[in-house]
Amino acid sequence: MALRKIATIGEPVLRTRAREVGVDELRSPRMQALIDDLVETMRDANGAGLAAPQIHEPVRIVAIEVSNNPRYPYKPEIPLTILVNPVLEPIGDETFENFEGCLSVPDLRGVVERFARLRVRALDRHGEPVEFETAGISAGTFQHEVDHIDGVLFVDRVRDPTTLCTWAAFRRYHEAAFRAHVEEIVARYGS
Ligand code: NI
């Protein structure tokens, strides 16, 4: 396993639609090593998720894991999840406002609107189909990561640019209110 360099905003790999991965290719040592590197790099950077294009690999693979995350201490936990060729389908049209950040957009956060309930369909790292529902803050994390494999960054979805702020300004001016907002969302959606 190896730590990979994380691509930052401006790198073309972050703006390209990543390609699907076939099952035979997925099971190859190269792709399995790529997934191990994705997880190791995500954990090293304290990411809640990381998409393969963020480590300069333009394929439709994302890793998500939230466990005592120091970058996002209010996020509900998500066990390590690897999604290959994921497809998200909103359930209903409810949305919520999420204050997001991204390892590929250093020291910036902003408010984006996300669907509150989703069905997730994908392959796991072994090529087996998985399907589950997610909601609330966790659903926001899945949407953020799947955006990456479509070449979309959270800043594209920020409707009100006055919400953009550094992490220090987030902590100083927004964190208390956002934590209360997160508690309401978790109470409503269970995650
Ligand atoms: Ni990101």
Side-chain angles (χ1 to χ4, degrees):
M1 293 204 293
L3 286 179
R4 301 284 198 97
K5 194 169 179 210
I6 295 178
T8 49
I9 185 168
E11 298 268 3
V13 69
L14 294 175
R15 293 311 202 169
T16 308
R17 185 187 183 278
R19 67 171 176 84
E20 271 80 11
V21 180
V23 172
D24 289 344
E25 183 187 15
L26 175 62
R27 291 174 178 158
S28 70
R30 181 184 127 67
M31 279 292 152
Q32 292 298 308
L34 185 162
I35 291 168
D36 289 340
D37 289 353
L38 189 64
V39 172
E40 188 180 0
T41 306
M42 171 181 71
R43 287 175 172 167
D44 180 73
N46 291 316
L50 199 63
Q54 292 181 276
I55 58 166
H56 301 266
E57 298 277 1
V59 290
R60 301 183 79 76
I61 300 177
V62 305
I64 292 170
E65 182 180 48
V66 180
S67 176
N68 287 322
N69 189 305
R71 270 164 63 89
Y72 302 102
Y74 44 79
K75 269 188 194 268
E77 299 208 340
I78 304 175
L80 178 63
T81 305
I82 305 295
L83 300 177
V84 180
N85 306 334
V87 175
L88 304 183
E89 180 192 335
I91 301 171
D93 54 11
E94 269 178 79
T95 62
F96 70 100
E97 289 195 333
N98 202 21
F99 229 122
E100 298 193 4
C102 180
L103 292 170
S104 292
V105 185
D107 202 23
L108 196 68
R109 304 195 66 162
V111 173
V112 303
E113 191 174 10
R114 294 296 189 185
F115 287 107
R117 295 182 194 277
L118 293 178
R119 183 176 306 281
V120 181
R121 293 187 181 87
L123 301 177
D124 68 13
R125 69 178 294 167
H126 308 294
E128 301 299 328
V130 292
E131 182 177 336
F132 57 92
E133 290 180 15
T134 182
I137 300 297
S138 299
T141 302
F142 282 89
Q143 287 164 89
H144 178 111
E145 296 311 325
V146 172
D147 269 353
H148 274 300
I149 58 175
D150 288 328
V152 174
L153 298 175
F154 83 89
V155 288
D156 308 351
R157 297 195 183 278
V158 171
R159 280 196 193 155
D160 177 358
T162 69
T163 65
L164 290 169
C165 60
T166 64
W167 282 66
F170 172 78
R171 281 191 291 272
R172 186 164 179 186
Y173 300 111
H174 301 293
E175 183 163 1
F178 185 60
R179 276 178 181 255
H181 178 64
V182 167
E183 281 174 23
E184 285 169 23
I185 290 166
V186 172
R188 179 159 182 177
Y189 298 106
S191 61

